[in-house]
Amino acid sequence: MEKDFIIRAYTKKELALCYFPNSNPRTAVNHLMSWINRCTTLWEQLQDTGYSTTSKAFTPRQVKAIVEQLGEP
């Protein structure tokens, strides 16, 4: 039985491992950020919410935007 995904603050590593659970954490983050960078609408939404490449975590609002664009993990 799968758990429902909860919109909350996540570190990049936590969220990436939700999308890529069988990956090394660094690889998972690289994959997730690659997906985000290719989705220009999402990238712009994240920047509008204060995200920068040096951010270590996503806010609940940013996670909601990611899930809306990429789907639930």
Side-chain angles (χ1 to χ4, degrees):
M1 183 178 203
E2 291 185 31
K3 293 181 181 180
D4 290 330
F5 182 76
I6 298 170
I7 301 292
R8 63 171 179 82
Y10 286 87
T11 65
K12 282 184 181 178
K13 181 170 81 171
E14 283 178 312
L15 187 59
L17 287 171
C18 289
Y19 280 96
F20 304 98
N22 298 319
S23 294
N24 170 298
R26 183 177 299 236
T27 302
V29 170
N30 288 342
H31 285 315
L32 178 60
M33 295 314 298
S34 176
W35 281 10
I36 289 171
N37 289 329
R38 284 192 303 236
C39 185
T40 54
T41 303
L42 174 56
W43 181 246
E44 290 169 1
Q45 284 179 319
L46 291 178
Q47 289 179 314
D48 289 344
T49 63
Y51 175 80
S52 75
T53 55
T54 59
S55 299
K56 301 291 184 207
F58 295 111
T59 66
R61 185 172 168 202
Q62 292 165 342
V63 171
K64 185 174 189 248
I66 291 167
V67 170
E68 287 173 353
Q69 293 292 322
L70 302 180
E72 275 191 20

